[in-house]
Amino acid sequence: MRIIDLTQPIHDGMTVYPGDAETGLVRSKKFQQDGYTNHQLSINMHAGTHIDGPMHLVDCEKYLNDFPVETFIGEGCLLDVSQENTIDYKVEYEELIQQKQIVLLYTGYNQYYGQPRYYTDHPVLTLPFAELLVRKQVKMIGLDFPSPDQYPFEVHKYLFQNDILIIENLTNVEQLLHVKSFEVIALPLSVKADSSIARVVARAE
């Protein structure tokens, strides 16, 4: 059994989606001066590896911690879409994706994390692909890029309207390419918010 960390580390000044508040992480107390150590974190819930919930782009009052904990843990399915800028429906996905899985996409685009192009030129999902995810009742879709779509965010909204959560900014997904089966554990904070930073790991056989 291997545990693969799929999470971008949080650090002071880490890259954020254009227009979002910067991340601040400071050592607020130092042992030599104060007798103990403490850190203060100021972070937007969409910084780094995080999980988007419906309230993010849909007019609703369903906070992320209203979802049952089991939503965030499940059998994983990896799709290698590393040669595709537009991730569309394919017939073979009908067999590859099983009911209520957590689907991860490998594009390799995380190599541009921290660069301006990461947020402007990333791959996108089509509505037919999103419709497949809804038919399969997947729990979450996980991406190694920052968003499943661009403005006006139709895919985002369609997934949210069907209670499918979105994990964004994954890393190390390539380590799952030759894994036969794995479980995804993607735990957000128990926070009354639209979305949450998260620690995401895969438990691989």
Side-chain angles (χ1 to χ4, degrees):
M1 188 72 71
R2 280 196 302 148
I3 302 295
I4 299 169
D5 195 348
L6 305 176
T7 314
Q8 294 283 1
I10 295 172
H11 59 83
D12 187 59
M14 70 187 293
T15 184
V16 295
Y17 197 87
D20 283 352
E22 290 187 7
T23 299
L25 177 60
V26 297
R27 184 177 292 192
S28 56
K29 296 294 180 181
K30 298 181 179 179
F31 187 84
Q32 292 81 1
Q33 297 174 196
D34 306 296
Y36 66 100
T37 302
N38 198 1
H39 285 77
Q40 180 74 28
L41 175 65
S42 175
I43 192 167
N44 184 291
M45 287 298 172
H46 298 269
T49 303
H50 65 277
I51 300 173
D52 279 359
M55 191 187 289
H56 180 42
L57 285 173
V58 173
D59 185 11
C60 70
E61 291 298 317
K62 189 169 186 178
Y63 294 100
L64 194 61
N65 68 349
D66 289 331
F67 283 83
V69 173
E70 53 265 29
T71 304
F72 307 101
I73 302 171
E75 179 185 359
C77 170
L78 179 68
L79 300 183
D80 183 353
V81 290
S82 55
Q83 303 302 314
E84 301 169 32
N85 290 322
T86 300
I87 298 158
D88 203 355
Y89 171 85
K90 292 183 179 179
V91 174
E92 57 259 40
Y93 294 161
E94 296 282 359
E95 290 188 14
L96 288 172
I97 301 173
Q98 302 301 309
Q99 293 287 318
K100 300 186 184 299
Q101 286 185 320
I102 296 174
V103 177
L104 305 184
L105 302 182
Y106 169 66
T107 69
Y109 204 77
N110 66 299
Q111 67 181 299
Y112 303 114
Y113 186 73
Q115 300 179 28
R117 67 175 291 182
Y118 182 74
Y119 296 104
T120 57
D121 302 329
H122 60 80
V124 293
L125 279 57
T126 67
L127 273 175
F129 180 81
E131 288 166 357
L132 169 65
L133 300 178
V134 171
R135 287 203 311 276
K136 294 291 186 173
Q137 299 178 303
V138 305
K139 294 181 174 184
M140 294 189 282
I141 176 75
L143 318 172
D144 61 354
F145 51 98
S147 174
D149 53 4
Q150 303 276 11
Y151 181 84
F153 305 115
E154 291 182 358
V155 172
H156 253 105
K157 294 171 184 176
Y158 179 74
L159 294 174
F160 289 155
Q161 288 162 356
N162 289 277
D163 274 350
I164 294 179
L165 306 178
I166 305 168
I167 313 169
E168 297 174 340
N169 300 327
L170 293 172
T171 189
N172 298 326
V173 181
E174 69 279 359
Q175 295 186 34
L176 293 169
L177 285 173
H178 304 294
V179 172
K180 290 184 178 180
S181 65
F182 63 94
E183 179 184 41
V184 176
I185 303 169
L187 294 179
L189 301 176
S190 182
V191 59
K192 205 170 182 63
D194 66 288
S195 307
S196 175
I197 54 175
R199 188 67 179 266
V200 182
V201 302
R203 187 159 59 180
E205 304 243 347

